Amino acid sequence: MSGEDLANARLAAPPRTPVPTAAVTQAALTRIGDELACRTWGMGLQEWFWGEGVCLLGLVRLARAQDQPYPSDVLTWLEERVHAGVTVEHVNHLAPGTALALALGERPDLEGAVQDLVAWVRTPGAASYDAEGTLEHWPGGVWADTVFMAGVTLGHIGLAVGDDDLVATFAHQVRRHIAVLQDAETGLFVHGSHHGEVIRCFWGRANAWCALAMVELLELADTLGPERVERIGLDDAVTTTSAALNRQLVALAEHQPEHGVWSVLVDEHPETAGLVETSAAAGIGAAMLRARRLLPDLPDDVRQAAWRAVRGVMAYVDPDGTLTRTSAGTVLQLVPFGYSVIRDDRVQPWGQGLALHAVAAALEALRSGEEPT
């Protein structure tokens, strides 16, 4: 296409070879999970913010996958931050609330902090919404990140404290983000919208956030059971979400390179082709593995893509537990080339967190008797 800037794509490092299928064992995954967790704490989780939220939930998921109790180090972190006081000024400040909600079984005295998060959301003017009630990242912009950072948190808080309105809010946010961000032509998700205009850049981490949020909603509905789902009025949301997730995961499998790790834009746009982004592959792989139980008609191609993504991501975990080639925090780019200039040479909390999600999902799959491919 005339005008494309391929300069950075041409400089892309060759992809790493995925680890062999035979190396994807419970012992290997446990070791990598422990290394990722150690590096995550070692890098420092300083703030009550979105990167920390992704890490905390990943650590909780890993513990569950290993049939361990709620992690004591996560509990300590939550207690210390709650004691110091939590300030919420943006939807991304809700992200640690998922781990907090899941901790209430161990520490019911933390419910006050959970309710503070809910109070912010329910304060008129605190959060920004579009005309249809979609939570915005910034006024005038719906981003994929928000359905995970805020939506998933509200759903788990609702489940934990018995607030059906919060569960319904989560379902509404999933439906609205599908409506705004899922591309009708491809089934992939875009990063976001800008003043009402959807930018057709199929950012990898956007697809990870949306896929994981949809999986979380379907798992939550499964936990609630059909009677409560009907009482809350989630039937349509479950149907819509199942169809959207199925379509997205099939499309992602079709666009996946042989080495398993999608480029930063998952449609392999020429300006970013070959610039791999590991955190997206980790999140997508985790969602694919978890979706297998929720969507029994999901094609086997998706199962194969899931394990290919996990094997690909494992190859990018350095011996010190760092997930390499994770892109930095990325604001909405208005053109594809913008995604080719985001640095990926530092350890990032969301990379560590999503890698933990992938390892946890793989361990759960192995425990259920699934064979990696």
Side-chain angles (χ1 to χ4, degrees), residues 181-233:
L181 302 180
Q182 187 167 32
D183 183 62
E185 180 181 340
T186 64
L188 300 171
F189 279 76
V190 302
H191 188 168
S193 65
H194 181 65
H195 294 299
E197 179 183 354
V198 174
I199 311 301
R200 290 186 84 245
C201 291
F202 303 113
W203 185 46
R205 232 170 18 240
N207 280 273
W209 299 139
C210 289
L212 284 169
M214 288 189 286
V215 165
E216 292 278 353
L217 176 60
L218 296 179
E219 289 180 345
L220 187 149
D222 194 48
T223 299
L224 293 174
E227 289 186 7
R228 191 171 171 192
V229 164
E230 183 178 3
R231 185 171 71 250
I232 300 173

Side-chain angles (χ1 to χ4, degrees), residues 28 33 41 68 122 126 158 216 259 284 301 330 369:
W41 289 115
Q68 296 175 356
R122 289 175 169 165
E216 292 278 353
H259 56 80
I284 292 167
D301 288 352
T330 305

Side-chain angles (χ1 to χ4, degrees), residues 14 33 201 252 289 351:
C201 291
L252 285 166
L289 287 174

